[in-house]
Amino acid sequence: MAMTVNEIDLPPIFCPLESARHRRAHLVDERAKEWIRTSPMCATDEERTWVTATCSTDFFARFAPDAATDDRLLWTSLWVYWGFAFDDNRCDNGPLSTRPAAFSALAGRVQRALEAPSARDESDGFIPALQEIAAQFRSFGTPLQVRRFAAAHRAWLSGVTWQIGNAAVGRMPGLDEYVAMRLLSAGGEPPFAMLELATGQEVPAQDMERPAVRALTEMAIMVAALDNDRHSLRKELVRGQTDQNVYSVLMHETGLPLPEAVAAATRLRDRVLLRFMAVHDRVRPGAGLELSTYLQGLRYGIRGNAEWGLRVPRYLSLGRVPDPMDEAPLEWAESPADDDRSAPRGLPTVAWWWDDALLGV
């Protein structure tokens, strides 16, 4: 079922979480832009212009407003710049966007270059750029923090490969499969893994591996992923890139027209956020400093991603040249579109988030 721009009426976002931004973000971003100017990851001035229009320091400064140093905020933000550039030029668009075998080979080389300081691969400008970022992570992060980031990075690339595989054969996943894929392909794992690198607080394994903490991480990723589907919808419609988003999936699976698919996706997103808040409020009181800092980062990330996405030229600019960052006041929903506290039907891949055992702490 085709979608058109004229059908879109996107409701305000419900997000009663704290808003914050690192106070030196603008200064750090000047350093980030200078690095991008000389980075091999951008082949043209147009690519460089669109990369800087992702405003990635603003993005991650909202995830980690309490980053321990400017350098930690700089290099984590530079990975976000790198990630958006890679996504735009190697995942969503470009010659590999419908060639899963070729993309898998590139993804494997990229991942190995991230993990192995001695790896050498000049075949793609994104690889040496990523290695420079990874070297900085190793300089200030602990081995466990760096390893957690590498695992998150691998998860993201696996999800993109899944997505490209679907696109290559014109396959539309069902909603349950889409949710599982989007947890990976949305790229939420790496930014949340970078919270430890930015703040310097390492969550003990016995805390990070608790089912409730893993559920909170996945729910934060899912809320942000569904928000990003919302943010990017208009631009994807204009560019004809709507093959796999939550709205096209719902329309294909249920036959809903676009307005009703928007309403259904909004209800799903708000139910996940409500569950996140309920589990968070049971886990947080007993958390130590490191876990508490991480959990607050999840909250900052959900809110910050929404604020950034509602203003960033990456999503709002429809022409060949990005517009300036939109600074207009944001409108927020005062209540959720659906306050049902039970697990959504037909989504076994995430039903465990509503397991009562998670509230036992």
Side-chain angles (χ1 to χ4, degrees), residues 240-281:
Q241 298 172 344
T242 57
D243 62 323
Q244 293 176 80
N245 61 42
V246 67
Y247 310 111
S248 60
V249 166
L250 282 166
M251 293 169 69
H252 182 267
E253 182 170 86
T254 67
L256 291 173
L258 179 56
E260 292 182 25
V262 167
T266 303
R267 290 193 298 271
L268 172 60
R269 180 262 185 209
D270 287 358
R271 287 174 70 171
V272 175
L273 178 58
L274 289 175
R275 183 59 178 176
F276 170 89
M277 294 166 63
V279 176
H280 169 276
D281 289 350

Side-chain angles (χ1 to χ4, degrees), residues 106-309:
L106 174 61
R109 300 200 311 273
V110 165
Q111 185 65 26
R112 187 56 187 165
L114 170 67
E115 296 178 353
S118 60
R120 291 293 177 267
D121 189 335
E122 303 294 332
S123 64
D124 190 298
F126 280 100
I127 294 177
L130 178 62
Q131 285 192 297
E132 184 176 354
I133 295 169
Q136 293 296 325
F137 284 1
R138 283 188 285 270
S139 75
F140 57 71
T142 69
L144 180 57
Q145 290 169 348
V146 173
R147 193 64 185 165
R148 284 172 173 169
F149 174 77
H153 203 270
R154 187 183 303 109
W156 166 53
L157 292 175
S158 74
V160 175
T161 303
W162 188 350
Q163 175 182 298
I164 290 175
N166 285 340
V169 296
R171 178 177 178 273
M172 183 68 73
L175 183 60
D176 187 58
E177 180 184 335
Y178 177 76
V179 166
M181 181 188 77
R182 196 71 173 122
L183 279 170
L184 303 171
S185 66
E189 290 265 11
F192 284 123
M194 289 193 303
L195 290 174
E196 291 183 298
L197 289 163
T199 65
Q201 298 290 341
E202 182 178 295
V203 181
Q206 64 266 29
D207 287 334
M208 188 67 90
E209 301 306 320
R210 288 163 58 186
V213 175
R214 184 58 202 167
L216 286 167
T217 302
E218 288 192 357
M219 285 187 278
I221 293 169
M222 182 49 56
V223 172
L226 294 177
D227 281 346
N228 287 351
D229 280 2
R230 178 196 189 280
H231 298 323
S232 62
L233 180 58
R234 290 183 190 276
K235 191 166 189 174
E236 289 179 352
L237 285 171
V238 169
R239 296 187 174 184
Q241 298 172 344
T242 57
D243 62 323
Q244 293 176 80
N245 61 42
V246 67
Y247 310 111
S248 60
V249 166
L250 282 166
M251 293 169 69
H252 182 267
E253 182 170 86
T254 67
L256 291 173
L258 179 56
E260 292 182 25
V262 167
T266 303
R267 290 193 298 271
L268 172 60
R269 180 262 185 209
D270 287 358
R271 287 174 70 171
V272 175
L273 178 58
L274 289 175
R275 183 59 178 176
F276 170 89
M277 294 166 63
V279 176
H280 169 276
D281 289 350
R282 293 296 295 269
V283 174
R284 184 76 175 269
L289 173 62
E290 298 85 357
L291 178 57
S292 183
T293 301
Y294 177 76
L295 296 178
Q296 184 60 50
L298 297 180
R299 294 172 67 93
Y300 283 144
I302 292 172
R303 175 73 180 211
N305 179 75
E307 293 174 330
W308 166 86

